[in-house]
Amino acid sequence: MESIITSLISAVAATIAAILAYNQYAKNKLTDLKIDKYRRDMDRKFSKRADDIACIYSELYRLLHDLEVDRVYILQPHPLINNLFVTISMQVRRKGVSSMLDQVHRLPMGEVAAFVGELAKNSWIWVDDLDAHVLDKKAKAIMSVNGTVQVVIKKLVDVNNRWIGSLFIENTEIDPELNTAVRRLEIEEVANNIQFILPEYSDFSI
């Protein structure tokens, strides 16, 4: 009898061990599948982000050449949840024109609060006189030191019409043809092509 009981206990123990081993195997397989799905999702995400950024740069170069301006760039508030900083995320420029990227990187929004307030509020801003039209001293100083004398700024919004950035078109000399209906239409078209694919800015996203 004792040997029978021992055999039964051994059989039950072996069955339990097999069940536990199978459950662990199933959990491991499920984990592997989740990891594999996560990797595929991330690959698709980064691939789409790369495609979107390439499209955006193409649109910026279009404005640079079609409008014959000196510098075109996108300024973005971040993080979007509380907008602590502004950064120039993407820029194209003519040879010999200074870059703005390093000068406006994680710039505390509080340092240019008046200017940022105008960007968030206005769909269009036209500047051909910095002293008269740019009242924020910090923003005016950044533009002046980089030779900006004329700038058109188009507000970029998301699907909920929330401000997510601004498109800047700048000249180092006044071009009276920049503020015309035809050119405004092209700027509007580019803004529409950009704003719904513009990735949220982070130090690692662009």
Side-chain angles (χ1 to χ4, degrees), residues 57-156:
Y57 268 109
S58 176
E59 295 290 342
L60 298 185
Y61 274 110
R62 169 187 166 186
L63 286 181
L64 186 73
H65 294 296
D66 286 1
L67 305 185
E68 298 182 336
V69 294
D70 293 320
R71 186 169 43 226
V72 181
Y73 58 86
I74 296 173
L75 179 81
Q76 292 184 253
H78 61 95
L80 289 179
I81 191 171
N82 53 11
N83 290 352
L84 296 176
F85 307 97
V86 288
T87 289
I88 293 177
S89 57
M90 287 177 263
Q91 172 192 255
V92 296
R93 57 196 169 105
R94 293 197 177 276
K95 185 177 181 180
V97 176
S98 62
S99 172
M100 303 276 275
L101 289 175
D102 293 337
Q103 299 178 51
V104 187
H105 178 73
R106 291 182 61 83
L107 179 65
M109 195 170 287
E111 293 187 15
V112 285
F115 186 62
V116 167
E118 292 297 313
L119 297 180
K121 181 173 62 176
N122 296 298
S123 181
W124 290 91
I125 298 176
W126 303 85
V127 176
D128 55 14
D129 184 338
L130 292 184
D131 290 330
H133 299 145
V134 182
L135 303 181
D136 189 292
K137 292 181 179 179
K138 177 83 171 183
K140 185 191 301 182
I142 293 172
M143 290 183 184
S144 295
V145 78
N146 286 281
T148 301
V149 299
Q150 183 182 42
V151 56
V152 178
I153 307 170
K154 180 68 180 77
K155 181 180 178 181
L156 303 174

Side-chain angles (χ1 to χ4, degrees), residues 31-47:
T31 299
D32 289 344
L33 289 172
K34 288 180 178 178
I35 291 173
D36 187 54
K37 182 180 182 301
Y38 173 78
R39 286 174 177 164
R40 290 197 307 272
D41 290 345
M42 291 302 291
D43 286 344
R44 282 193 293 269
K45 177 181 177 181
F46 284 116
S47 177

